[in-house]
Amino acid sequence: MVVIELTTRNKRKHITVIKGLEAYPEIDMAAAAKGFGKKFACGCAFQKGKNGQADQIEIQGDAVDALPAFIADKHKVPLDEIYVVVEGKKVRATELSELAG
């Protein structure tokens, strides 16, 4: 299960956090972070989990809308295994377009 979450820092700056990609052994986390940075033209970093927390990738800026489709296409993760945190609730990426419309 891949979880995408948007966090805020300094009031107007956003960071998109991706957790759960380490469950897919065919995905190299550092290479994936570099690919996200190139795709979204922003800073991106792979953060090793500390004190029992999961590894995560942090993308500078708001990339939540385009990210599920990119992960599904580029890294072959099924779209129904990708969740996006919307207003504190995990929503499947497949259901995201239904909420917006």
Side-chain angles (χ1 to χ4, degrees):
M1 178 173 74
V2 178
V3 179
I4 301 170
E5 184 176 6
L6 185 69
T7 58
T8 307
R9 66 173 182 89
N10 297 341
K11 295 184 184 174
R12 292 197 284 156
K13 304 287 184 183
H14 297 288
I15 296 176
T16 305
V17 178
I18 307 166
K19 297 177 185 174
L21 279 178
E22 72 275 356
Y24 301 91
E26 66 275 5
I27 298 176
D28 178 14
M29 296 284 281
K34 189 171 185 178
F36 294 142
K38 285 185 177 183
K39 166 69 177 170
F40 299 110
C42 62
C44 188
F46 167 60
Q47 299 286 323
K48 268 300 221 192
K50 296 179 187 137
N51 300 330
Q53 291 186 340
D55 296 347
Q56 64 185 22
I57 295 176
E58 294 182 350
I59 302 173
Q60 291 180 359
D62 184 354
V64 172
D65 296 334
L67 204 50
F70 181 71
I71 292 173
D73 182 50
K74 178 84 173 169
H75 298 289
K76 308 296 185 244
V77 175
L79 203 55
D80 61 339
E81 291 183 16
I82 300 174
Y83 290 81
V84 179
V85 177
V86 178
E87 296 175 6
K89 297 178 185 174
K90 286 183 187 174
V91 179
R92 284 185 186 222
T94 54
E95 300 169 4
L96 205 56
S97 59
E98 297 168 11
L99 286 175

mmCIF file of all heavy atoms in Angstrom, residues 14-38:
data_model
loop_
_atom_site.group_PDB
_atom_site.id
_atom_site.type_symbol
_atom_site.label_atom_id
_atom_site.label_comp_id
_atom_site.label_asym_id
_atom_site.label_seq_id
_atom_site.Cartn_x
_atom_site.Cartn_y
_atom_site.Cartn_z
ATOM 1 N N HIS A 14 4.445 23.643 0.523
ATOM 2 C CA HIS A 14 3.894 22.294 0.635
ATOM 3 C C HIS A 14 4.973 21.254 0.371
ATOM 4 O O HIS A 14 5.890 21.478 -0.412
ATOM 5 C CB HIS A 14 2.762 22.080 -0.372
ATOM 6 C CG HIS A 14 1.600 22.981 -0.154
ATOM 7 N ND1 HIS A 14 0.730 22.830 0.898
ATOM 8 C CD2 HIS A 14 1.166 24.053 -0.837
ATOM 9 C CE1 HIS A 14 -0.188 23.765 0.834
ATOM 10 N NE2 HIS A 14 0.059 24.529 -0.219
ATOM 11 N N ILE A 15 4.814 20.104 1.007
ATOM 12 C CA ILE A 15 5.680 18.953 0.765
ATOM 13 C C ILE A 15 4.769 17.746 0.551
ATOM 14 O O ILE A 15 3.881 17.482 1.355
ATOM 15 C CB ILE A 15 6.626 18.684 1.953
ATOM 16 C CG1 ILE A 15 7.579 19.855 2.143
ATOM 17 C CG2 ILE A 15 7.397 17.399 1.732
ATOM 18 C CD1 ILE A 15 8.481 19.715 3.343
ATOM 19 N N THR A 16 4.989 17.040 -0.536
ATOM 20 C CA THR A 16 4.249 15.820 -0.812
ATOM 21 C C THR A 16 5.094 14.653 -0.314
ATOM 22 O O THR A 16 6.254 14.527 -0.677
ATOM 23 C CB THR A 16 3.990 15.682 -2.327
ATOM 24 O OG1 THR A 16 3.331 16.858 -2.799
ATOM 25 C CG2 THR A 16 3.125 14.475 -2.613
ATOM 26 N N VAL A 17 4.501 13.817 0.540
ATOM 27 C CA VAL A 17 5.216 12.699 1.152
ATOM 28 C C VAL A 17 4.640 11.390 0.614
ATOM 29 O O VAL A 17 3.426 11.197 0.607
ATOM 30 C CB VAL A 17 5.089 12.737 2.691
ATOM 31 C CG1 VAL A 17 5.797 11.560 3.321
ATOM 32 C CG2 VAL A 17 5.627 14.041 3.244
ATOM 33 N N ILE A 18 5.531 10.504 0.160
ATOM 34 C CA ILE A 18 5.131 9.196 -0.352
ATOM 35 C C ILE A 18 5.697 8.136 0.591
ATOM 36 O O ILE A 18 6.898 8.075 0.813
ATOM 37 C CB ILE A 18 5.686 8.954 -1.765
ATOM 38 C CG1 ILE A 18 5.313 10.097 -2.684
ATOM 39 C CG2 ILE A 18 5.198 7.627 -2.311
ATOM 40 C CD1 ILE A 18 6.085 10.107 -3.972
ATOM 41 N N LYS A 19 4.817 7.300 1.131
ATOM 42 C CA LYS A 19 5.231 6.221 2.023
ATOM 43 C C LYS A 19 4.731 4.895 1.461
ATOM 44 O O LYS A 19 3.698 4.852 0.810
ATOM 45 C CB LYS A 19 4.628 6.412 3.422
ATOM 46 C CG LYS A 19 5.083 7.668 4.119
ATOM 47 C CD LYS A 19 4.408 7.826 5.455
ATOM 48 C CE LYS A 19 4.788 9.152 6.082
ATOM 49 N NZ LYS A 19 4.060 9.406 7.315
ATOM 50 N N GLY A 20 5.473 3.834 1.724
ATOM 51 C CA GLY A 20 5.026 2.498 1.351
ATOM 52 C C GLY A 20 5.643 1.943 0.081
ATOM 53 O O GLY A 20 5.363 0.810 -0.286
ATOM 54 N N LEU A 21 6.470 2.704 -0.611
ATOM 55 C CA LEU A 21 7.096 2.183 -1.827
ATOM 56 C C LEU A 21 8.121 1.090 -1.523
ATOM 57 O O LEU A 21 8.442 0.290 -2.397
ATOM 58 C CB LEU A 21 7.776 3.308 -2.612
ATOM 59 C CG LEU A 21 6.875 4.168 -3.490
ATOM 60 C CD1 LEU A 21 7.684 5.268 -4.151
ATOM 61 C CD2 LEU A 21 6.179 3.347 -4.539
ATOM 62 N N GLU A 22 8.622 1.039 -0.293
ATOM 63 C CA GLU A 22 9.621 0.016 0.048
ATOM 64 C C GLU A 22 9.015 -1.386 0.044
ATOM 65 O O GLU A 22 9.740 -2.377 0.026
ATOM 66 C CB GLU A 22 10.291 0.323 1.394
ATOM 67 C CG GLU A 22 9.422 0.098 2.601
ATOM 68 C CD GLU A 22 8.532 1.278 2.945
ATOM 69 O OE1 GLU A 22 8.628 2.325 2.292
ATOM 70 O OE2 GLU A 22 7.733 1.137 3.883
ATOM 71 N N ALA A 23 7.692 -1.491 0.034
ATOM 72 C CA ALA A 23 7.031 -2.799 -0.018
ATOM 73 C C ALA A 23 7.173 -3.458 -1.388
ATOM 74 O O ALA A 23 6.895 -4.647 -1.531
ATOM 75 C CB ALA A 23 5.556 -2.644 0.337
ATOM 76 N N TYR A 24 7.602 -2.697 -2.373
ATOM 77 C CA TYR A 24 7.787 -3.212 -3.726
ATOM 78 C C TYR A 24 9.288 -3.327 -3.981
ATOM 79 O O TYR A 24 9.958 -2.333 -4.249
ATOM 80 C CB TYR A 24 7.127 -2.281 -4.747
ATOM 81 C CG TYR A 24 5.651 -2.124 -4.484
ATOM 82 C CD1 TYR A 24 5.177 -1.096 -3.666
ATOM 83 C CD2 TYR A 24 4.743 -3.011 -5.018
ATOM 84 C CE1 TYR A 24 3.828 -0.962 -3.403
ATOM 85 C CE2 TYR A 24 3.393 -2.897 -4.758
ATOM 86 C CZ TYR A 24 2.936 -1.877 -3.956
ATOM 87 O OH TYR A 24 1.600 -1.754 -3.686
ATOM 88 N N PRO A 25 9.845 -4.546 -3.899
ATOM 89 C CA PRO A 25 11.306 -4.707 -3.985
ATOM 90 C C PRO A 25 11.900 -4.306 -5.329
ATOM 91 O O PRO A 25 13.081 -3.994 -5.407
ATOM 92 C CB PRO A 25 11.521 -6.198 -3.710
ATOM 93 C CG PRO A 25 10.200 -6.843 -3.885
ATOM 94 C CD PRO A 25 9.162 -5.806 -3.675
ATOM 95 N N GLU A 26 11.099 -4.295 -6.389
ATOM 96 C CA GLU A 26 11.631 -3.921 -7.697
ATOM 97 C C GLU A 26 11.860 -2.414 -7.840
ATOM 98 O O GLU A 26 12.478 -1.961 -8.791
ATOM 99 C CB GLU A 26 10.707 -4.421 -8.822
ATOM 100 C CG GLU A 26 9.341 -3.779 -8.862
ATOM 101 C CD GLU A 26 8.297 -4.428 -7.949
ATOM 102 O OE1 GLU A 26 8.635 -5.347 -7.189
ATOM 103 O OE2 GLU A 26 7.145 -3.985 -7.997
ATOM 104 N N ILE A 27 11.376 -1.623 -6.879
ATOM 105 C CA ILE A 27 11.531 -0.168 -6.930
ATOM 106 C C ILE A 27 12.739 0.244 -6.103
ATOM 107 O O ILE A 27 12.810 -0.033 -4.906
ATOM 108 C CB ILE A 27 10.268 0.549 -6.405
ATOM 109 C CG1 ILE A 27 9.068 0.204 -7.281
ATOM 110 C CG2 ILE A 27 10.480 2.056 -6.371
ATOM 111 C CD1 ILE A 27 7.754 0.772 -6.787
ATOM 112 N N ASP A 28 13.683 0.912 -6.740
ATOM 113 C CA ASP A 28 14.841 1.490 -6.045
ATOM 114 C C ASP A 28 14.406 2.863 -5.548
ATOM 115 O O ASP A 28 14.114 3.758 -6.346
ATOM 116 C CB ASP A 28 16.022 1.601 -7.014
ATOM 117 C CG ASP A 28 17.241 2.232 -6.372
ATOM 118 O OD1 ASP A 28 17.274 2.338 -5.134
ATOM 119 O OD2 ASP A 28 18.157 2.620 -7.116
ATOM 120 N N MET A 29 14.334 3.014 -4.240
ATOM 121 C CA MET A 29 13.781 4.246 -3.646
ATOM 122 C C MET A 29 14.569 5.489 -4.052
ATOM 123 O O MET A 29 13.985 6.522 -4.362
ATOM 124 C CB MET A 29 13.733 4.113 -2.121
ATOM 125 C CG MET A 29 12.819 3.032 -1.623
ATOM 126 S SD MET A 29 11.093 3.476 -1.717
ATOM 127 C CE MET A 29 10.957 4.506 -0.284
ATOM 128 N N ALA A 30 15.893 5.415 -4.038
ATOM 129 C CA ALA A 30 16.703 6.585 -4.391
ATOM 130 C C ALA A 30 16.500 6.958 -5.859
ATOM 131 O O ALA A 30 16.372 8.136 -6.194
ATOM 132 C CB ALA A 30 18.168 6.312 -4.097
ATOM 133 N N ALA A 31 16.437 5.955 -6.728
ATOM 134 C CA ALA A 31 16.216 6.224 -8.152
ATOM 135 C C ALA A 31 14.802 6.761 -8.382
ATOM 136 O O ALA A 31 14.598 7.637 -9.238
ATOM 137 C CB ALA A 31 16.436 4.960 -8.964
ATOM 138 N N ALA A 32 13.831 6.248 -7.619
ATOM 139 C CA ALA A 32 12.454 6.740 -7.741
ATOM 140 C C ALA A 32 12.382 8.210 -7.327
ATOM 141 O O ALA A 32 11.720 9.018 -7.979
ATOM 142 C CB ALA A 32 11.515 5.900 -6.881
ATOM 143 N N ALA A 33 13.090 8.569 -6.238
ATOM 144 C CA ALA A 33 13.104 9.964 -5.787
ATOM 145 C C ALA A 33 13.691 10.868 -6.860
ATOM 146 O O ALA A 33 13.180 11.957 -7.127
ATOM 147 C CB ALA A 33 13.894 10.094 -4.493
ATOM 148 N N LYS A 34 14.754 10.415 -7.490
ATOM 149 C CA LYS A 34 15.382 11.200 -8.552
ATOM 150 C C LYS A 34 14.418 11.359 -9.742
ATOM 151 O O LYS A 34 14.317 12.430 -10.332
ATOM 152 C CB LYS A 34 16.676 10.526 -9.000
ATOM 153 C CG LYS A 34 17.500 11.366 -9.927
ATOM 154 C CD LYS A 34 18.854 10.737 -10.154
ATOM 155 C CE LYS A 34 19.706 11.656 -11.003
ATOM 156 N NZ LYS A 34 21.050 11.122 -11.210
ATOM 157 N N GLY A 35 13.703 10.292 -10.065
ATOM 158 C CA GLY A 35 12.728 10.343 -11.153
ATOM 159 C C GLY A 35 11.582 11.296 -10.859
ATOM 160 O O GLY A 35 11.128 12.027 -11.753
ATOM 161 N N PHE A 36 11.103 11.308 -9.606
ATOM 162 C CA PHE A 36 10.042 12.241 -9.224
ATOM 163 C C PHE A 36 10.530 13.678 -9.342
ATOM 164 O O PHE A 36 9.803 14.558 -9.789
ATOM 165 C CB PHE A 36 9.561 11.980 -7.794
ATOM 166 C CG PHE A 36 8.870 10.656 -7.599
ATOM 167 C CD1 PHE A 36 9.065 9.933 -6.441
ATOM 168 C CD2 PHE A 36 8.037 10.133 -8.564
ATOM 169 C CE1 PHE A 36 8.439 8.714 -6.243
ATOM 170 C CE2 PHE A 36 7.399 8.918 -8.381
ATOM 171 C CZ PHE A 36 7.606 8.199 -7.216
ATOM 172 N N GLY A 37 11.764 13.925 -8.924
ATOM 173 C CA GLY A 37 12.332 15.272 -9.006
ATOM 174 C C GLY A 37 12.412 15.762 -10.446
ATOM 175 O O GLY A 37 12.127 16.922 -10.739
ATOM 176 N N LYS A 38 12.781 14.864 -11.353
ATOM 177 C CA LYS A 38 12.865 15.251 -12.766
ATOM 178 C C LYS A 38 11.483 15.458 -13.361
ATOM 179 O O LYS A 38 11.252 16.400 -14.123
ATOM 180 C CB LYS A 38 13.611 14.177 -13.558
ATOM 181 C CG LYS A 38 15.099 14.200 -13.328
ATOM 182 C CD LYS A 38 15.800 13.206 -14.211
ATOM 183 C CE LYS A 38 17.307 13.306 -13.992
ATOM 184 N NZ LYS A 38 18.031 12.397 -14.883
#
